[in-house]
Amino acid sequence: SAPVPMSSAASAEAGGGGVRLPAGLLASHGALGSADGLLGTKIPVDALRSGSLAPEVPPTRRTAQSWWDRAVELCEAQRYLEAYQQVIVEPEESCLLRLMQHTGPIVEHLDAECNSRLIRRLIHMLNSPTKDPAASSVDHIFGWLRQALRSSIHFTVSQVEDLATALQRVTSPSCSLNAPSKAEAAQLLMQVVALRR
């Protein structure tokens, strides 16, 4: 609703740290109590500014750039786990891919839970039925998977199966990736299949 204009009397009272509100305004805000009980009562100006008499305004959603700035600060402080924990919950894949490119594969700096969530996100990127992963993104994804397999981090049974399916999709003729990327996917697939044994 539009702000209620302040009368000249109320304006004068504002200089003393409060506003003497007219009865009409008080009556329109039942949460403050009865108009009769508060008529003539000074309401601190800060209360008006803080939203006591106005609907709360929801906080503005942080932009992708603000997430990125915070992630870079954490990386500069070598707080890589916190950086990935922050970015990995963002639904936009480009945020995570950008951080992966920024840090390179650093599996050893993440804990088991974060690595597991990251692998699940990478599987989703590779296995998206609506689009083929871009060649530049695949390089970073494959780099992480190579290090994860080399580091012998724990893959759940479902992750092994889902990752194998995703890599099979990437190596299929219908995928638009170039031949070198498909060859690398085939090598990773062999390592993933070996985890079944």
Side-chain angles (χ1 to χ4, degrees):
S1 62
V4 178
M6 190 179 293
S7 67
S8 57
S11 299
E13 290 286 354
V19 176
R20 199 176 299 278
L21 297 178
L25 177 58
L26 289 168
S28 68
H29 292 278
L32 292 176
S34 67
D36 293 338
L38 287 176
L39 183 59
T41 301
K42 268 191 177 181
I43 305 297
V45 174
D46 287 346
L48 298 175
R49 291 172 181 164
S50 67
S52 299
L53 300 180
E56 291 186 7
V57 179
T60 304
R61 180 187 174 92
R62 287 198 288 178
T63 64
Q65 185 61 41
S66 68
W67 283 108
W68 174 246
D69 292 341
R70 176 60 177 156
V72 169
E73 289 177 6
L74 291 170
C75 288
E76 288 174 350
Q78 297 187 350
R79 294 160 61 185
Y80 300 109
L81 175 58
E82 292 177 62
Y84 273 88
Q85 286 173 330
Q86 173 181 277
V87 174
I88 208 168
V89 298
E90 286 295 293
E92 182 56 52
E93 292 176 356
S94 62
C95 297
L96 180 56
L97 288 169
R98 189 177 180 188
L99 182 58
M100 290 167 60
Q101 182 179 11
H102 179 72
T103 64
I106 52 170
V107 174
E108 70 280 1
H109 288 283
L110 308 184
D111 61 15
E113 181 183 357
C114 192
N115 270 317
S116 182
R117 295 179 70 182
L118 178 57
I119 289 168
R120 182 55 64 186
R121 289 292 299 273
L122 299 184
I123 291 170
H124 176 76
M125 292 179 197
L126 289 174
N127 209 30
S128 174
T130 58
K131 60 184 178 180
D132 287 339
S136 58
S137 301
V138 162
D139 289 341
H140 303 306
I141 294 172
F142 287 172
W144 270 89
L145 292 176
R146 275 197 309 273
Q147 192 183 70
L149 290 164
R150 241 186 262 126
S151 303
S152 300
I153 69 169
H154 176 69
F155 285 79
T156 65
V157 173
S158 64
Q159 285 175 340
V160 169
E161 296 303 320
D162 292 345
L163 183 54
T165 299
L167 290 170
Q168 285 173 343
R169 175 182 177 275
V170 171
T171 58
S172 68
S174 61
C175 183
S176 62
L177 286 180
N178 57 36
S181 294
K182 289 186 176 184
E184 186 168 6
Q187 292 178 355
L188 288 170
L189 177 59
M190 292 174 62
Q191 297 178 57
V192 171
V193 169
L195 296 176
R196 293 171 173 170
R197 301 168 188 166

